[in-house]
Amino acid sequence: MSAHTQPSGTGSGLVKWIDSRLPVFTYLQKEYGEFPAPRNFNYWWNFGAILSFMLVLMIFTGIFLAMQYTPHVDFAFDSVERIMRDVNYGWLLRYMHANGASFFFIAVYIHIFRGLYYGSYKNPRELLWIFGVVILVLMMATAFMGYVLPWGQLSLWGATVITSLFSAIPLVGDSIVTWLWGGFAVDNSTLNRFFSLHFLLPFVIVGVVALHVIALHVTGSNNPLGIDPKGPQDTIPFHPYYTAKDSFGLAIWITLFAAVVFFAPNFFGEPENYVRANPLVTPAEIVPEWYFLPFFAILRAVNFDVLFIDAKLGGVIAMFGSILVLFVVPWLDRSKVRSARFRPVYKWFFWILVLDCLLLGFVGGHPPDEKVFEGIEGLKFINLGHLGTAWYFFHFLVLLPLLGMFEKTRPLPTSIAEPVLGGGQSAAGAAAKPMEKA
Amino acid sequence: MDIGKKLSHVVAIAAVAGLTLVAGTGSVIASGEAKHPEAQDWSFAGPFGKFDVASIQRGLQNYIENCSACHSMNQLAYRNLSSLGFNEDEVKEIASQYEVTDGPDDNGDMFDRPARPSDKFVLPFPNEQAARASNNGAFPPDLSLLAKANPGGPDYIFALLTGFVEEPPEDVELAEGMNYNPFFGGGQIAMAPPLFEDGIEYSDGTPATIEQQARDVANFLQWAAEPEMEDRKRIGWKVVLFLLVLSALLYAAKRQTWARLH
Ligand code: HEM
């Protein structure tokens, strides 16, 4: 059967020998060479490649950091400083890893909003979307535990605040917290297990990414028009067209990343984490890293009891709920039209949701009773938190289902090729798109 | 291309980017009621920034004479001073002024010896309790990372060291042994003003005003917190320029590839 599985045309004797026994080259050729992709991707489709790069970068830098890092409460802080000062290019490794986490999250948030805008979660891509949300959850767990490792003040106190949330669970809450900690406080056993899990989880992410990509290659990619390719005129081979486009986008991304790593490496970080962890001194303000701030705002927004659910448990439910709701988005959104380009009302609410998430992030960085503006007495951050949280859930739980029923969508173009190849008068041509060309 | 559409997209993207920045930095601002330190001109600021080595050397002298009795700098080793232009003998000389406990020797006894370049800066107190006992219960924090452990960074250090006020405002009741300094959280600090006009004789002859000393100390502490900074920025320029050229080439390649499609 070797004759059938030959990679098309090319390949040395060795390649053929391997391929007829383990068809990796055929696979690559099929999935990344010929793989037919819609011809109209814009640069928002670049973020899959960017995310893959970031994952590999995090694993590489992480493994080299782990060679020098000591997971013990007495040595962790100094071992990280030793990496910064005495290990050759240790500062580069650590700054790439720490800022890599931030850039990873920027990319994944853009990637998710891209999916929301173009309806990429809809039939038949529900499972692909669900794997994506699983990756997000795993990334959050990984980053949370990674932030504990340098054992600064916010490492310790951030871990204490977040793990303590589980104590809100009725009856078993306190036992769960003790079990998570491996003791009665965030201490050495907590640090050890977080290191172990922080090492493990990225490889689990690699596994889920594989599932995500396999699912993608079954359904094929969505595209800015949100309509299915109708034939070969609508698609182009992934290589060389999108390999070329992705390489360019990735190079720009890496340039931005390098600018931060080399010129502002502590821009995303909290200064307080350069103070060694001290269980006896609580920092004035305990803030998580920026990428958790919207969720932190939702957690703190529930400061009232609801029936038998007290405020603490309510906050925890809201916070986890804000992530879990993403899993069911494919079923909450009843609209058959995928792309927001043809959904004049949804398009507005999409951008309002983006602003809402930014607002929540802003709120999460401030103490709840702080005034938003000097001189305006009534408006505190908690009020904004209430507003932002209410809107977040309203968007997903009420607006998405209702819009699907009542929104009057615009006519869809008949094929991808039509507007792309200059059918300028069509509905799609009118909705032309700045990022598409170039 | 519809210009209006294009514009509205650009505006939307700019708004998102702007808000992200606000959200990103917003969390830093709120830290107690301390007065906000004024921004100073630092030679190390910006992507072309360089250390002011002469000032850092004076800062080191100042730290040794005025601060090291109370504040440790536990991330620094004497050998690190060679990157400030001290030669091997000078580093040895500085180190040997300090005693460290080493051992055990062949008889199992610990012994004292002069510090060597490979030793870490000798700590003023054996432990936190001892430090508190000599400072009315207050703990003089380690200074190695202070310049990046505070949102105000070196501006804060400069403001704090020059910001002591002898007579506190009327509504402030100073606690026993405390000093008034509006730049410290709460306005009261357990450290007495450590710098005095001409309180030090700089070996390079620079007039020792309080401002000059505070600037030198801040420069020194900034170096201590990020000794890799000059290397980092120098390499950074090469990397970023390389990446820009690479991006341009990849863009050209992309254009050429896509020109085959129509
Ligand atoms: C999904 C990928 C990953 C993410 C999002 C992530 C995130 C993080 C974060 C946020 C920190 C704290 C950075 C700081 O402020 O210092 C950190 C530290 C660390 N990570 Fe990771 N990491 C990832 C993968 C890995 C892997 C695969 C390893 C090892 C095999 C690793 C090893 C370490 C070590 C040793 C530290 C402590 C050193 C330090 O704090 O800089 N990481 N990680």
Side-chain angles (χ1 to χ4, degrees):
Chain A
M1 73 167 276
S2 59
H4 295 288
T5 50
Q6 293 286 322
S8 44
T10 56
S12 66
L14 180 63
V15 167
K16 285 191 187 125
W17 187 88
I18 294 177
D19 204 64
S20 55
R21 288 157 181 79
L22 182 71
V24 279
F25 297 101
T26 305
Y27 172 82
L28 283 180
Q29 175 64 14
K30 191 158 145 278
E31 299 300 333
Y32 289 98
E34 298 148 14
F35 182 62
R39 58 190 304 149
N40 61 333
F41 284 170
N42 54 33
Y43 277 103
W44 299 117
W45 262 260
N46 213 201
F47 285 85
I50 288 174
L51 284 160
S52 313
F53 171 81
M54 292 314 291
L55 180 58
V56 173
L57 180 85
M58 293 308 283
I59 289 178
F60 264 89
T61 53
I63 286 174
F64 283 96
L65 284 171
M67 293 177 189
Q68 305 284 350
Y69 170 79
T70 312
H72 186 288
V73 289
D74 291 339
F75 307 111
F77 188 87
D78 288 332
S79 75
V80 171
E81 274 308 309
R82 202 184 138 267
I83 292 172
M84 295 292 288
R85 289 157 191 271
D86 291 341
V87 173
N88 287 334
Y89 296 102
W91 54 267
L92 182 55
L93 275 180
R94 178 178 183 235
Y95 280 152
M96 284 205 289
H97 197 76
N99 288 292
S102 281
F103 272 73
F104 204 173
F105 274 94
I106 296 174
V108 86
Y109 286 146
I110 294 177
H111 193 65
I112 292 171
F113 277 116
R114 188 282 314 262
L116 288 172
Y117 188 84
Y118 294 107
S120 304
Y121 46 83
K122 290 184 194 184
N123 180 2
R125 299 187 181 84
E126 301 93 329
L127 208 50
L128 172 60
W129 171 263
I130 287 176
F131 284 132
V133 184
V134 171
I135 294 170
L136 173 68
V137 172
L138 288 170
M139 273 176 66
M140 294 174 98
T142 307
F144 166 66
M145 291 192 269
Y147 195 57
V148 178
L149 302 186
W151 207 241
Q153 271 291 62
L154 293 175
S155 300
L156 167 63
W157 290 98
T160 305
V161 168
I162 300 301
T163 47
S164 300
L165 292 178
F166 289 91
S167 69
I169 301 171
L171 303 178
V172 291
D174 286 329
S175 323
I176 291 185
V177 173
T178 309
W179 176 74
L180 285 175
W181 287 346
F184 297 100
V186 173
D187 206 338
N188 200 44
S189 37
T190 327
L191 180 59
N192 279 183
R193 61 190 53 195
F194 278 17
F195 179 53
S196 168
L197 292 173
H198 183 72
F199 206 127
L200 169 71
L201 284 187
F203 297 93
V204 178
I205 295 178
V206 170
V208 184
V209 168
L211 295 176
H212 188 72
V213 172
I214 292 172
L216 172 73
H217 284 219
V218 172
T219 61
S221 302
N222 187 27
N223 64 77
L225 294 174
I227 57 175
D228 293 326
K230 299 265 161 22
Q233 76 282 6
D234 286 348
T235 63
I236 46 180
F238 193 84
H239 182 72
Y241 297 105
Y242 287 118
T243 40
K245 194 165 179 173
D246 282 356
S247 304
F248 166 59
L250 185 59
I252 295 285
W253 179 264
I254 298 174
T255 309
L256 294 174
F257 176 59
V260 172
V261 164
F262 288 102
F263 299 121
N266 293 302
F267 174 75
F268 290 107
E270 285 293 332
E272 181 102 27
N273 220 31
Y274 281 112
V275 179
R276 189 187 300 266
N278 183 346
L280 301 177
V281 179
T282 321
E285 222 197 315
I286 303 174
V287 276
E289 289 192 283
W290 71 265
Y291 37 80
F292 293 133
L293 289 177
F295 303 99
F296 197 53
I298 291 176
L299 170 77
R300 294 197 294 192
V302 185
N303 56 350
F304 44 83
D305 300 345
V306 184
L307 303 176
F308 56 91
I309 299 176
D310 65 9
K312 189 173 177 194
L313 181 59
V316 173
I317 292 174
M319 185 180 73
F320 284 108
S322 66
I323 301 166
L324 294 182
V325 74
L326 296 176
F327 280 108
V328 288
V329 163
W331 294 277
L332 289 171
D333 186 348
R334 317 289 305 169
S335 177
K336 292 270 171 291
V337 175
R338 292 196 191 107
S339 173
R341 275 196 197 157
F342 307 105
R343 301 186 60 189
V345 187
Y346 173 74
K347 189 184 211 161
W348 276 101
F349 286 118
F350 169 84
W351 285 110
I352 294 175
L353 179 72
V354 172
L355 291 178
D356 187 51
C357 292
L358 292 173
L359 174 77
L360 283 169
F362 183 51
V363 170
H366 292 265
D369 334 305
E370 195 180 301
K371 278 179 283 188
V372 180
F373 300 105
E374 266 325 305
I376 301 182
E377 276 312 312
L379 190 62
K380 304 224 162 104
F381 275 99
I382 184 71
N383 307 119
L384 288 186
H386 287 151
L387 180 75
T389 304
W391 184 269
Y392 184 91
F393 286 104
F394 177 74
H395 177 96
F396 287 109
L397 298 177
V398 181
L399 264 177
L400 278 191
L402 287 184
L403 278 183
M405 286 182 250
F406 296 112
E407 185 180 33
K408 197 171 160 324
T409 55
R410 299 220 246 125
L412 295 176
T414 46
S415 81
I416 294 175
E418 176 199 356
V420 170
L421 297 182
Q425 312 87 322
S426 75
K433 38 276 159 195
M435 288 199 56
E436 209 132 289
K437 306 286 148 69
Chain B
M1 169 80 46
D2 178 346
I3 297 286
K5 273 264 153 47
K6 193 169 187 170
L7 261 181
S8 73
H9 275 251
V10 171
V11 170
I13 292 168
V16 170
L19 272 167
T20 317
L21 277 183
V22 171
T25 52
S27 55
V28 174
I29 297 159
S31 63
E33 329 108 72
K35 198 165 148 192
H36 202 74
E38 206 177 306
Q40 306 289 324
D41 273 334
W42 299 109
S43 68
F44 51 77
F48 294 103
K50 288 235 183 312
F51 287 129
D52 178 346
V53 178
S55 175
I56 297 175
Q57 289 191 359
R58 289 192 295 274
L60 170 70
Q61 187 193 344
N62 212 317
Y63 166 74
I64 292 175
E65 291 183 26
N66 287 332
C67 323
S68 65
C70 298
H71 291 281
S72 59
M73 292 199 70
N74 58 23
Q75 302 297 345
L76 289 190
Y78 296 107
R79 65 184 155 79
N80 298 139
L81 298 179
S82 62
S83 65
L84 293 181
F86 293 101
N87 65 32
E88 217 173 308
D89 290 332
E90 286 166 328
V91 173
K92 272 192 188 140
E93 168 80 26
I94 296 174
S96 64
Q97 300 165 13
Y98 299 87
E99 288 269 291
V100 294
T101 304
D102 204 345
D105 64 13
D106 292 344
N107 297 321
D109 298 324
M110 304 302 278
F111 59 93
D112 286 347
R113 61 161 174 79
R116 294 194 279 256
S118 58
D119 285 312
K120 285 276 167 78
F121 272 34
V122 171
L123 307 178
F125 299 102
N127 50 51
E128 183 175 334
Q129 285 80 349
R132 286 188 189 277
S134 324
N135 283 286
N136 280 323
F139 179 59
D142 185 85
L143 295 183
S144 355
L145 284 160
L146 191 72
K148 57 179 182 178
N150 188 286
D155 294 332
Y156 162 73
I157 295 172
F158 179 82
L160 185 87
L161 292 176
T162 53
F164 285 90
V165 182
E166 222 158 297
E167 283 299 314
E170 299 197 347
D171 54 331
V172 174
E173 179 98 28
L174 275 189
E176 179 67 25
M178 296 299 257
N179 306 274
Y180 183 71
N181 192 319
F183 295 99
F184 197 69
Q188 311 203 10
I189 182 164
M191 171 173 73
L195 299 177
F196 299 96
E197 200 75 22
D198 295 321
I200 187 170
E201 201 172 316
Y202 276 138
S203 40
D204 67 357
T206 307
T209 61
I210 290 188
E211 290 226 344
Q212 181 64 48
Q213 296 183 60
R215 190 169 292 280
D216 295 339
V217 169
N219 267 320
F220 168 65
L221 293 184
Q222 178 67 29
W223 167 79
E226 301 201 313
E228 89 295 346
M229 185 209 73
E230 281 190 356
D231 280 345
R232 171 157 59 70
K233 289 178 180 169
R234 193 170 31 76
I235 299 172
W237 276 111
K238 292 186 193 156
V239 172
V240 167
L241 288 178
F242 167 80
L243 285 168
L244 283 174
V245 173
L246 180 69
S247 302
L249 289 176
L250 287 170
Y251 183 65
K254 186 255 165 193
R255 288 288 289 229
Q256 204 177 26
T257 311
W258 280 67
R260 285 184 237 156
L261 282 179
H262 16 231

